[in-house]
Amino acid sequence: DTAVSQTPKYLVTQMGNDKSIKCEQNLGHDTMYWYKQDSKKFLKIMFSYNNKELIINETVPNRFSPKSPDKAHLNLHINSLELGDSAVYFCASSQGSGGNQPQHFGDGTRLSIL
Amino acid sequence: SQQGEEDPQALSIQEGENATMNCSYKTSINNLQWYRQNSGRGLVHLILIRSNEREKHSGRLRVTLDTSKKSSSLLITASRAADTASYFCATALRGQNFVFGPGTRLSVLP
């Protein structure tokens, strides 16, 4: 009965490849997020979707493309992976946007680029 | 620079002692939240304190908010080894989503 689940947990791949990370939440929330956490633990928001609509799109290379097929799912596709993309990517969800409610996080996807 | 910044960056204490972490931010906020991250896991929400509140408790946690100084503190009383984690504050700007600080790494030694 995991609330926010991400797959895969680990992703090791070569530079230049394309990969996807999937996220699903069963909390009934209407807002989902993608965050990137670097090696120094800085957590930066990348994207936010509310009811399948993109509401936050921070300065992220257009190699990163989020897709929300429904309110419970938010996937992240990355094209032409680069060494600097190595990080932990977290999916999160909340009820409502605007930062007025707690966010629930998945356990992260550890992406390593060789 | 980060909207919320925790201080200290790292803290080591003995089991049973109290741990205090501070968070400073730069602009007006709707609320401030504290999260914990255990090694290899996602962030877990601890407490939300709204801009019109000054203090909030949850079990062994006490959070204060001083909007005049743009700062908040998280106190963990009677710490346990299981409290070893990174602690982050997150500020919600009006109409926008969270900005997380770089975190405080807490080590509780048995």
Side-chain angles (χ1 to χ4, degrees):
Chain A
D1 57 345
T2 305
V4 181
S5 59
Q6 299 178 226
T7 54
K9 190 174 175 68
Y10 298 96
L11 191 49
V12 181
T13 189
Q14 302 274 358
M15 205 164 51
N17 283 351
D18 303 339
K19 290 293 177 186
S20 291
I21 307 172
K22 295 187 175 183
C23 178
E24 176 181 5
Q25 55 95 5
N26 62 5
L27 296 167
H29 290 165
D30 61 4
T31 305
M32 296 184 72
Y33 311 82
W34 277 112
Y35 287 89
K36 179 180 179 181
Q37 187 174 45
D38 63 23
S39 58
K40 295 185 178 180
K41 301 292 188 185
F42 282 96
L43 195 68
K44 290 187 177 179
I45 191 165
M46 300 173 68
F47 303 102
S48 174
Y49 272 75
N50 176 259
N51 285 315
K52 302 194 297 175
E53 298 294 325
L54 181 66
I55 56 171
I56 295 271
N57 183 356
E58 291 297 306
T59 308
V60 176
N62 57 15
R63 299 182 293 104
F64 291 79
S65 51
K67 278 194 172 58
S68 182
D70 56 57
K71 283 197 315 181
H73 296 84
L74 180 61
N75 304 322
L76 183 65
H77 187 76
I78 315 170
N79 289 327
S80 303
L81 281 157
E82 300 177 357
L83 289 175
D85 297 333
S86 293
V88 182
Y89 293 84
F90 287 98
C91 176
S93 71
S94 66
Q95 183 54 38
S97 57
N100 292 319
Q101 296 297 327
Q103 295 190 8
H104 297 254
F105 284 77
D107 278 339
T109 295
R110 283 141 193 84
L111 175 63
S112 298
I113 310 301
L114 304 177
Chain B
S1 61
Q2 298 285 327
Q3 160 71 345
E5 295 203 19
E6 295 88 348
D7 168 58
Q9 289 188 336
L11 180 62
S12 286
I13 59 174
Q14 295 294 130
E15 212 165 17
E17 293 180 341
N18 296 342
T20 300
M21 288 158 269
N22 302 298
C23 170
S24 59
Y25 57 92
K26 294 181 171 59
T27 62
S28 296
I29 57 172
N30 286 343
N31 65 67
L32 186 144
Q33 303 190 25
W34 284 92
Y35 287 79
R36 183 188 74 233
Q37 184 179 31
N38 290 92
S39 180
R41 304 298 301 272
L43 278 73
V44 173
H45 177 260
L46 296 176
I47 287 185
L48 181 154
I49 186 165
R50 303 199 185 279
S51 57
N52 61 353
E53 296 176 313
R54 291 296 167 258
E55 189 169 311
K56 234 175 165 179
H57 297 255
S58 176
R60 294 182 296 112
L61 307 181
R62 181 173 81 102
V63 167
T64 61
L65 179 64
D66 187 334
T67 52
S68 65
K69 295 182 180 177
K70 293 187 170 58
S71 68
S72 174
S73 67
L74 169 66
L75 168 67
I76 305 174
T77 59
S79 63
R80 306 167 181 167
D83 294 328
T84 294
S86 292
Y87 291 82
F88 296 86
C89 68
T91 49
L93 306 180
R94 295 189 188 285
Q96 298 181 20
N97 287 288
F98 288 165
V99 177
F100 283 85
T104 291
R105 290 186 308 281
L106 173 66
S107 297
V108 181
L109 308 174

mmCIF file of all heavy atoms in Angstrom, chain A residues 64-95:
data_model
loop_
_atom_site.group_PDB
_atom_site.id
_atom_site.type_symbol
_atom_site.label_atom_id
_atom_site.label_comp_id
_atom_site.label_asym_id
_atom_site.label_seq_id
_atom_site.Cartn_x
_atom_site.Cartn_y
_atom_site.Cartn_z
ATOM 1 N N PHE A 64 14.371 16.886 -20.896
ATOM 2 C CA PHE A 64 13.495 16.309 -19.884
ATOM 3 C C PHE A 64 12.049 16.610 -20.262
ATOM 4 O O PHE A 64 11.678 17.770 -20.419
ATOM 5 C CB PHE A 64 13.791 16.919 -18.511
ATOM 6 C CG PHE A 64 15.112 16.525 -17.941
ATOM 7 C CD1 PHE A 64 16.285 17.131 -18.382
ATOM 8 C CD2 PHE A 64 15.199 15.550 -16.956
ATOM 9 C CE1 PHE A 64 17.515 16.760 -17.852
ATOM 10 C CE2 PHE A 64 16.421 15.184 -16.422
ATOM 11 C CZ PHE A 64 17.582 15.785 -16.868
ATOM 12 N N SER A 65 11.247 15.555 -20.404
ATOM 13 C CA SER A 65 9.847 15.784 -20.760
ATOM 14 C C SER A 65 8.943 14.986 -19.830
ATOM 15 O O SER A 65 8.958 13.754 -19.843
ATOM 16 C CB SER A 65 9.586 15.423 -22.219
ATOM 17 O OG SER A 65 10.063 14.125 -22.510
ATOM 18 N N PRO A 66 8.153 15.687 -19.024
ATOM 19 C CA PRO A 66 7.205 15.006 -18.149
ATOM 20 C C PRO A 66 5.930 14.681 -18.909
ATOM 21 O O PRO A 66 5.576 15.363 -19.870
ATOM 22 C CB PRO A 66 6.945 16.053 -17.063
ATOM 23 C CG PRO A 66 7.139 17.355 -17.763
ATOM 24 C CD PRO A 66 8.148 17.143 -18.849
ATOM 25 N N LYS A 67 5.248 13.644 -18.432
ATOM 26 C CA LYS A 67 3.949 13.292 -19.022
ATOM 27 C C LYS A 67 3.038 12.803 -17.912
ATOM 28 O O LYS A 67 3.427 11.949 -17.123
ATOM 29 C CB LYS A 67 4.111 12.213 -20.089
ATOM 30 C CG LYS A 67 4.539 12.729 -21.449
ATOM 31 C CD LYS A 67 4.369 11.707 -22.537
ATOM 32 C CE LYS A 67 4.619 12.296 -23.903
ATOM 33 N NZ LYS A 67 5.966 12.884 -24.030
ATOM 34 N N SER A 68 1.831 13.340 -17.888
ATOM 35 C CA SER A 68 0.866 12.942 -16.873
ATOM 36 C C SER A 68 -0.369 12.388 -17.561
ATOM 37 O O SER A 68 -1.272 13.142 -17.947
ATOM 38 C CB SER A 68 0.506 14.147 -15.998
ATOM 39 O OG SER A 68 -0.403 13.767 -14.981
ATOM 40 N N PRO A 69 -0.463 11.069 -17.718
ATOM 41 C CA PRO A 69 -1.624 10.479 -18.386
ATOM 42 C C PRO A 69 -2.906 10.615 -17.584
ATOM 43 O O PRO A 69 -3.994 10.656 -18.155
ATOM 44 C CB PRO A 69 -1.238 9.002 -18.553
ATOM 45 C CG PRO A 69 -0.170 8.769 -17.536
ATOM 46 C CD PRO A 69 0.524 10.073 -17.325
ATOM 47 N N ASP A 70 -2.784 10.677 -16.264
ATOM 48 C CA ASP A 70 -3.928 10.913 -15.387
ATOM 49 C C ASP A 70 -3.406 11.465 -14.069
ATOM 50 O O ASP A 70 -2.201 11.561 -13.868
ATOM 51 C CB ASP A 70 -4.758 9.633 -15.172
ATOM 52 C CG ASP A 70 -3.930 8.481 -14.642
ATOM 53 O OD1 ASP A 70 -3.311 8.658 -13.566
ATOM 54 O OD2 ASP A 70 -3.875 7.416 -15.296
ATOM 55 N N LYS A 71 -4.332 11.801 -13.164
ATOM 56 C CA LYS A 71 -3.923 12.477 -11.917
ATOM 57 C C LYS A 71 -3.012 11.617 -11.055
ATOM 58 O O LYS A 71 -2.261 12.132 -10.247
ATOM 59 C CB LYS A 71 -5.173 12.841 -11.102
ATOM 60 C CG LYS A 71 -5.920 14.026 -11.606
ATOM 61 C CD LYS A 71 -6.887 14.599 -10.585
ATOM 62 C CE LYS A 71 -7.701 13.553 -9.873
ATOM 63 N NZ LYS A 71 -8.656 14.152 -8.901
ATOM 64 N N ALA A 72 -3.079 10.317 -11.214
ATOM 65 C CA ALA A 72 -2.330 9.426 -10.340
ATOM 66 C C ALA A 72 -0.945 9.085 -10.869
ATOM 67 O O ALA A 72 -0.172 8.417 -10.183
ATOM 68 C CB ALA A 72 -3.117 8.134 -10.115
ATOM 69 N N HIS A 73 -0.633 9.529 -12.071
ATOM 70 C CA HIS A 73 0.640 9.154 -12.685
ATOM 71 C C HIS A 73 1.369 10.365 -13.243
ATOM 72 O O HIS A 73 0.754 11.246 -13.852
ATOM 73 C CB HIS A 73 0.419 8.156 -13.833
ATOM 74 C CG HIS A 73 -0.145 6.843 -13.396
ATOM 75 N ND1 HIS A 73 -1.494 6.641 -13.214
ATOM 76 C CD2 HIS A 73 0.479 5.677 -13.074
ATOM 77 C CE1 HIS A 73 -1.686 5.385 -12.813
ATOM 78 N NE2 HIS A 73 -0.520 4.790 -12.726
ATOM 79 N N LEU A 74 2.678 10.383 -13.020
ATOM 80 C CA LEU A 74 3.532 11.415 -13.624
ATOM 81 C C LEU A 74 4.846 10.756 -13.981
ATOM 82 O O LEU A 74 5.577 10.304 -13.102
ATOM 83 C CB LEU A 74 3.762 12.585 -12.669
ATOM 84 C CG LEU A 74 4.633 13.716 -13.222
ATOM 85 C CD1 LEU A 74 3.990 14.342 -14.461
ATOM 86 C CD2 LEU A 74 4.883 14.787 -12.164
ATOM 87 N N ASN A 75 5.103 10.669 -15.270
ATOM 88 C CA ASN A 75 6.321 10.017 -15.741
ATOM 89 C C ASN A 75 7.305 11.064 -16.220
ATOM 90 O O ASN A 75 6.946 12.195 -16.546
ATOM 91 C CB ASN A 75 5.984 9.037 -16.866
ATOM 92 C CG ASN A 75 4.947 8.012 -16.436
ATOM 93 O OD1 ASN A 75 4.950 7.541 -15.298
ATOM 94 N ND2 ASN A 75 4.015 7.681 -17.333
ATOM 95 N N LEU A 76 8.575 10.674 -16.227
ATOM 96 C CA LEU A 76 9.640 11.590 -16.659
ATOM 97 C C LEU A 76 10.488 10.880 -17.704
ATOM 98 O O LEU A 76 11.060 9.820 -17.418
ATOM 99 C CB LEU A 76 10.502 12.006 -15.468
ATOM 100 C CG LEU A 76 11.614 13.010 -15.749
ATOM 101 C CD1 LEU A 76 11.013 14.354 -16.181
ATOM 102 C CD2 LEU A 76 12.496 13.199 -14.517
ATOM 103 N N HIS A 77 10.547 11.451 -18.895
ATOM 104 C CA HIS A 77 11.371 10.886 -19.949
ATOM 105 C C HIS A 77 12.581 11.799 -20.174
ATOM 106 O O HIS A 77 12.430 13.029 -20.204
ATOM 107 C CB HIS A 77 10.574 10.759 -21.254
ATOM 108 C CG HIS A 77 11.332 10.037 -22.321
ATOM 109 N ND1 HIS A 77 11.503 8.665 -22.314
ATOM 110 C CD2 HIS A 77 11.992 10.490 -23.408
ATOM 111 C CE1 HIS A 77 12.226 8.306 -23.370
ATOM 112 N NE2 HIS A 77 12.532 9.386 -24.040
ATOM 113 N N ILE A 78 13.743 11.188 -20.277
ATOM 114 C CA ILE A 78 14.970 11.969 -20.467
ATOM 115 C C ILE A 78 15.654 11.490 -21.732
ATOM 116 O O ILE A 78 15.968 10.297 -21.874
ATOM 117 C CB ILE A 78 15.929 11.811 -19.268
ATOM 118 C CG1 ILE A 78 15.184 11.926 -17.937
ATOM 119 C CG2 ILE A 78 17.032 12.871 -19.347
ATOM 120 C CD1 ILE A 78 16.005 11.550 -16.724
ATOM 121 N N ASN A 79 15.876 12.416 -22.641
ATOM 122 C CA ASN A 79 16.581 12.105 -23.892
ATOM 123 C C ASN A 79 18.061 12.446 -23.775
ATOM 124 O O ASN A 79 18.449 13.342 -23.012
ATOM 125 C CB ASN A 79 15.990 12.925 -25.050
ATOM 126 C CG ASN A 79 14.613 12.455 -25.441
ATOM 127 O OD1 ASN A 79 14.299 11.266 -25.366
ATOM 128 N ND2 ASN A 79 13.763 13.385 -25.852
ATOM 129 N N SER A 80 18.857 11.746 -24.546
ATOM 130 C CA SER A 80 20.289 12.072 -24.700
ATOM 131 C C SER A 80 20.945 12.344 -23.346
ATOM 132 O O SER A 80 21.459 13.444 -23.091
ATOM 133 C CB SER A 80 20.459 13.297 -25.607
ATOM 134 O OG SER A 80 19.867 13.062 -26.852
ATOM 135 N N LEU A 81 20.931 11.371 -22.485
ATOM 136 C CA LEU A 81 21.433 11.539 -21.124
ATOM 137 C C LEU A 81 22.878 12.025 -21.105
ATOM 138 O O LEU A 81 23.717 11.605 -21.916
ATOM 139 C CB LEU A 81 21.318 10.219 -20.372
ATOM 140 C CG LEU A 81 19.899 9.940 -19.864
ATOM 141 C CD1 LEU A 81 19.679 8.465 -19.644
ATOM 142 C CD2 LEU A 81 19.635 10.744 -18.606
ATOM 143 N N GLU A 82 23.153 12.925 -20.153
ATOM 144 C CA GLU A 82 24.488 13.497 -19.983
ATOM 145 C C GLU A 82 25.006 13.156 -18.594
ATOM 146 O O GLU A 82 24.233 12.831 -17.686
ATOM 147 C CB GLU A 82 24.425 15.023 -20.159
ATOM 148 C CG GLU A 82 23.923 15.452 -21.526
ATOM 149 C CD GLU A 82 23.803 16.969 -21.645
ATOM 150 O OE1 GLU A 82 24.066 17.676 -20.639
ATOM 151 O OE2 GLU A 82 23.468 17.436 -22.759
ATOM 152 N N LEU A 83 26.332 13.279 -18.427
ATOM 153 C CA LEU A 83 26.947 12.947 -17.138
ATOM 154 C C LEU A 83 26.318 13.755 -16.002
ATOM 155 O O LEU A 83 26.107 13.248 -14.908
ATOM 156 C CB LEU A 83 28.456 13.207 -17.194
ATOM 157 C CG LEU A 83 29.273 12.249 -18.042
ATOM 158 C CD1 LEU A 83 30.735 12.702 -18.102
ATOM 159 C CD2 LEU A 83 29.190 10.821 -17.510
ATOM 160 N N GLY A 84 25.998 15.017 -16.274
ATOM 161 C CA GLY A 84 25.430 15.891 -15.244
ATOM 162 C C GLY A 84 24.025 15.518 -14.829
ATOM 163 O O GLY A 84 23.491 16.087 -13.867
ATOM 164 N N ASP A 85 23.415 14.577 -15.530
ATOM 165 C CA ASP A 85 22.070 14.139 -15.144
ATOM 166 C C ASP A 85 22.108 13.144 -13.997
ATOM 167 O O ASP A 85 21.063 12.813 -13.425
ATOM 168 C CB ASP A 85 21.359 13.495 -16.350
ATOM 169 C CG ASP A 85 21.152 14.472 -17.488
ATOM 170 O OD1 ASP A 85 21.059 15.689 -17.232
ATOM 171 O OD2 ASP A 85 21.083 14.011 -18.660
ATOM 172 N N SER A 86 23.297 12.670 -13.657
ATOM 173 C CA SER A 86 23.431 11.738 -12.537
ATOM 174 C C SER A 86 22.947 12.411 -11.261
ATOM 175 O O SER A 86 23.442 13.477 -10.882
ATOM 176 C CB SER A 86 24.887 11.297 -12.367
ATOM 177 O OG SER A 86 25.308 10.527 -13.460
ATOM 178 N N ALA A 87 21.968 11.817 -10.612
ATOM 179 C CA ALA A 87 21.345 12.402 -9.422
ATOM 180 C C ALA A 87 20.289 11.426 -8.932
ATOM 181 O O ALA A 87 20.083 10.363 -9.527
ATOM 182 C CB ALA A 87 20.688 13.745 -9.754
ATOM 183 N N VAL A 88 19.623 11.817 -7.848
ATOM 184 C CA VAL A 88 18.451 11.070 -7.410
ATOM 185 C C VAL A 88 17.223 11.894 -7.775
ATOM 186 O O VAL A 88 17.150 13.086 -7.452
ATOM 187 C CB VAL A 88 18.470 10.800 -5.897
ATOM 188 C CG1 VAL A 88 17.252 9.964 -5.507
ATOM 189 C CG2 VAL A 88 19.760 10.078 -5.497
ATOM 190 N N TYR A 89 16.281 11.288 -8.451
ATOM 191 C CA TYR A 89 15.064 11.965 -8.883
ATOM 192 C C TYR A 89 13.905 11.488 -8.010
ATOM 193 O O TYR A 89 13.672 10.291 -7.866
ATOM 194 C CB TYR A 89 14.784 11.676 -10.365
ATOM 195 C CG TYR A 89 15.825 12.309 -11.250
ATOM 196 C CD1 TYR A 89 17.036 11.669 -11.503
ATOM 197 C CD2 TYR A 89 15.619 13.576 -11.806
ATOM 198 C CE1 TYR A 89 18.011 12.268 -12.290
ATOM 199 C CE2 TYR A 89 16.581 14.177 -12.605
ATOM 200 C CZ TYR A 89 17.773 13.517 -12.828
ATOM 201 O OH TYR A 89 18.744 14.110 -13.603
ATOM 202 N N PHE A 90 13.221 12.465 -7.415
ATOM 203 C CA PHE A 90 12.108 12.150 -6.531
ATOM 204 C C PHE A 90 10.801 12.623 -7.136
ATOM 205 O O PHE A 90 10.692 13.740 -7.643
ATOM 206 C CB PHE A 90 12.279 12.833 -5.169
ATOM 207 C CG PHE A 90 13.328 12.215 -4.306
ATOM 208 C CD1 PHE A 90 14.593 12.761 -4.240
ATOM 209 C CD2 PHE A 90 13.044 11.095 -3.535
ATOM 210 C CE1 PHE A 90 15.572 12.202 -3.434
ATOM 211 C CE2 PHE A 90 14.012 10.524 -2.731
ATOM 212 C CZ PHE A 90 15.278 11.071 -2.683
ATOM 213 N N CYS A 91 9.818 11.756 -7.010
ATOM 214 C CA CYS A 91 8.446 12.111 -7.338
ATOM 215 C C CYS A 91 7.728 12.416 -6.022
ATOM 216 O O CYS A 91 8.037 11.821 -4.983
ATOM 217 C CB CYS A 91 7.795 10.926 -8.052
ATOM 218 S SG CYS A 91 6.052 11.149 -8.446
ATOM 219 N N ALA A 92 6.799 13.360 -6.052
ATOM 220 C CA ALA A 92 6.030 13.699 -4.858
ATOM 221 C C ALA A 92 4.615 14.059 -5.268
ATOM 222 O O ALA A 92 4.349 14.339 -6.453
ATOM 223 C CB ALA A 92 6.674 14.857 -4.099
ATOM 224 N N SER A 93 3.721 14.047 -4.292
ATOM 225 C CA SER A 93 2.350 14.452 -4.579
ATOM 226 C C SER A 93 1.797 15.231 -3.389
ATOM 227 O O SER A 93 2.296 15.126 -2.266
ATOM 228 C CB SER A 93 1.459 13.232 -4.860
ATOM 229 O OG SER A 93 1.216 12.485 -3.676
ATOM 230 N N SER A 94 0.774 16.034 -3.652
ATOM 231 C CA SER A 94 0.086 16.754 -2.587
ATOM 232 C C SER A 94 -1.354 17.004 -3.036
ATOM 233 O O SER A 94 -1.677 16.913 -4.233
ATOM 234 C CB SER A 94 0.772 18.081 -2.277
ATOM 235 O OG SER A 94 0.670 18.981 -3.364
ATOM 236 N N GLN A 95 -2.193 17.341 -2.072
ATOM 237 C CA GLN A 95 -3.560 17.717 -2.404
ATOM 238 C C GLN A 95 -3.575 19.235 -2.555
ATOM 239 O O GLN A 95 -3.455 19.963 -1.577
ATOM 240 C CB GLN A 95 -4.546 17.260 -1.325
ATOM 241 C CG GLN A 95 -5.986 17.568 -1.660
ATOM 242 C CD GLN A 95 -6.398 17.028 -3.027
ATOM 243 O OE1 GLN A 95 -5.987 15.941 -3.440
ATOM 244 N NE2 GLN A 95 -7.213 17.789 -3.723
#
